[in-house]
Amino acid sequence: MFELKPHSYASKREHYEDLAQQARGLLAGERELIANAANFGALIYHSLPDLNWAGFYLYDGSELVVGPFQGKPACIRIALGRGVCGTAAQTRETQLVRDVNAFEGHIACDAASQSEIVVPLIKLDGSLLGVWDVDSPVIDRFDEDDSSGMQTLCAVFMESVRG
């Protein structure tokens, strides 16, 4: 049984290191994409403060389709290059958006979202699996430590996908 326990950390970096270790343990030995995505999303959503959505958009060969997530119902389909998720998928670069109102073309699935970070998920063969998307109701919630931490967490997730 996996149990989330409240813990205080000296820094964001330490918190993300602990989350990466927890994610490795949670995903160890399991290769089912949807099961791992669901558990990964729940771990992050319930471990980091000030989040209102955390989840996956999976690439179906033509567009991003909502996958396992925590939060309110979300947009189902997002075109590549559209919004923060579509931009991350198209550019294959992490998108750190401190104020979504300043991001041209932002897609507001939840009007409460004020900041966002999206990490593209790239398979070993270079193809796109999808994106990992995290929203906050707080402007400027995410910074470079979050960007680095989320990228590390996504690398752990992708290890479980690769087998």
Side-chain angles (χ1 to χ4, degrees):
M1 179 176 185
F2 192 86
E3 184 177 345
L4 289 172
K5 296 179 182 176
H7 193 281
S8 61
Y9 298 93
S11 67
K12 275 189 186 182
R13 180 170 287 148
E14 182 183 60
H15 192 172
Y16 278 109
E17 287 171 2
D18 184 51
L19 276 176
Q21 183 178 2
Q22 290 181 58
R24 279 187 193 92
L26 183 63
L27 305 175
E30 182 55 61
R31 299 294 173 235
E32 168 51 44
L33 173 66
I34 300 302
N36 281 346
N39 274 335
F40 181 87
L43 172 67
I44 305 311
Y45 185 80
H46 292 287
S47 297
L48 292 175
D50 300 321
L51 303 183
N52 63 318
W53 203 90
F56 293 87
Y57 276 91
L58 302 173
Y59 184 58
D60 72 357
S62 62
E63 62 189 345
L64 298 170
V65 180
V66 72
F69 70 90
Q70 300 280 312
K72 291 181 180 179
C75 304
I76 296 173
R77 298 178 182 277
I78 299 175
L80 295 186
R82 187 158 178 259
V84 182
C85 289
T87 299
Q90 186 174 58
T91 64
R92 296 183 180 211
E93 295 176 357
T94 297
Q95 301 295 306
L96 171 60
V97 181
R98 295 172 190 268
D99 181 354
V100 297
N101 301 301
F103 188 93
E104 188 175 335
H106 175 255
I107 301 169
C109 294
D110 181 349
S113 294
Q114 297 296 310
S115 59
E116 185 171 7
I117 187 164
V118 180
V119 180
L121 304 171
I122 310 301
K123 297 179 193 176
L124 282 177
D125 67 4
S127 64
L128 180 68
L129 174 67
V131 299
W132 166 247
D133 178 22
V134 182
D135 294 5
S136 173
V138 178
I139 288 178
D140 215 22
R141 160 62 180 86
F142 303 111
D143 60 19
E144 295 303 326
D145 287 338
D146 294 294
S147 181
S148 177
M150 290 291 179
Q151 289 176 56
T152 298
L153 287 168
C154 287
V156 170
F157 176 77
M158 291 304 291
E159 288 170 13
S160 78
V161 171
R162 293 175 180 138

